[in-house]
Amino acid sequence: MDKYEYIFRSEDKEFTAWCNPEHLESASACALNKLGAKFLEVVHKASNEIELITIYRDKFIFFYPKTDKK
């Protein structure tokens, strides 16, 4: 299993972590809960592209900017 370095950003905090891309949703949900943030942006560190945006509104909601239609 490959792991990549990601930047996890909330409205006021930021940290990096290595993660398997298949586990980004669960990693971001855990980070969002631990930080007590309103949203979390997950950025692939090497390409600097946003991979995932996570918010919580009575349930976790995941957006994939590269694949979601506008």
Side-chain angles (χ1 to χ4, degrees), residues 6-9 19-29 39-44 49-55 61-68:
Y6 294 95
I7 302 168
F8 291 77
R9 285 187 197 133
C19 187
N20 181 324
E22 294 178 11
H23 301 288
L24 274 183
E25 286 185 1
S26 57
S28 68
F39 76 94
L40 191 73
E41 179 180 81
V42 181
V43 179
H44 190 273
E49 290 186 15
I50 299 172
E51 296 287 326
L52 176 66
I53 297 171
T54 305
I55 61 173
I61 303 169
F62 304 101
F63 297 100
Y64 291 88
K66 291 185 349 183
T67 58
D68 287 344

Side-chain angles (χ1 to χ4, degrees), residues 8-35:
F8 291 77
R9 285 187 197 133
S10 68
E11 51 270 14
D12 60 350
K13 295 182 182 164
E14 180 177 305
F15 66 93
T16 60
W18 289 84
C19 187
N20 181 324
E22 294 178 11
H23 301 288
L24 274 183
E25 286 185 1
S26 57
S28 68
C30 290
L32 183 73
N33 185 39
K34 183 159 179 95
L35 294 173

